[in-house]
Amino acid sequence: RMIKPSDLGQTDITLAEWALKIPIGYREAAAGKKFAKLEMSRTKTATQSLLIAREKRIADMVQLASNYAASNKVTLAGASQWSDTVNSTPVKDIRTARAAVKSDMGLYPNVAIFGDKAWNTFIDHPDIIAAIYGANNFGIVSEDQVANKFGFAKVIVGQSFYNIEATAVNADLWGDNVVMAYVPQSPTERADIYTPMFGASFQHEMTPPLVQTYDQDGSEKVELIEATLLGNEALLMPDAGYLISDVTA
């Protein structure tokens, strides 16, 4: 018997280009010694903005319930929400999610991403505190402790936010949700076409974002700091993930 690469499914990924320009006016540049710091600051702002935009695309994709099969998602409501510290069962919910992924693709999820609100609700739950510290004890629960307790290689708390332009209101990228998924952790695993993975971020070799500086339309009055990112993101194996939504009432 032989396993042939041609037997594997294929997904076409088209890289997209994102760019952001930030100007420095000639009056600002005339500040002399402050210019270098200003250029560094604008470069950092442009680069970080592109990376936040990429994180938002990923967060939107992996928190969209329609991307998951019915067996790989649950929306908590009422007494099942973890903010109900008497009736809810967060330990059971996490174990159920892990078992569902294992049943679908043969491996347990090794990464868990909590939205900031979901995380605070989770670590304040008496069942979680007892699971980590034992009955009748108390302590602050950390990401590493949760990872060790539930068998994750990594637990991440998403704390990034973005500004909604229309309303000028800041909003969390990661909502009141928990995403669990199998994501290869080593470069060797990621390079192996036979390694299953929930999703991936594809990038051109010019990573981190390319930054260029030039005059605007030949003008010497405005210098532009431009950051460019060439890449894309994709869900490759939705069965390798599980979504728990609305954990807080």
Side-chain angles (χ1 to χ4, degrees), residues 66-77:
S66 60
N67 282 333
Y68 297 82
S71 59
N72 287 62
K73 62 185 175 184
V74 63
T75 299
L76 304 182

Side-chain angles (χ1 to χ4, degrees), residues 71-73 90-110 150-152 180-182 239-244:
S71 59
N72 287 62
K73 62 185 175 184
V91 172
K92 179 182 177 182
D93 294 340
I94 295 293
R95 288 176 174 166
T96 297
R98 286 176 54 78
V101 173
K102 174 68 160 55
S103 175
D104 282 342
M105 52 87 67
L107 295 169
Y108 286 109
N110 60 352
F150 290 98
F152 295 108
M180 284 160 278
Y182 184 80
D239 287 348
Y242 194 102
L243 175 66
I244 301 178

Side-chain angles (χ1 to χ4, degrees), residues 47 51 203-211 228-229:
T47 301
L51 295 177
Q203 299 177 62
H204 191 270
E205 60 186 8
M206 62 171 198
T207 302
L210 174 68
V211 177
T228 303
L229 180 65

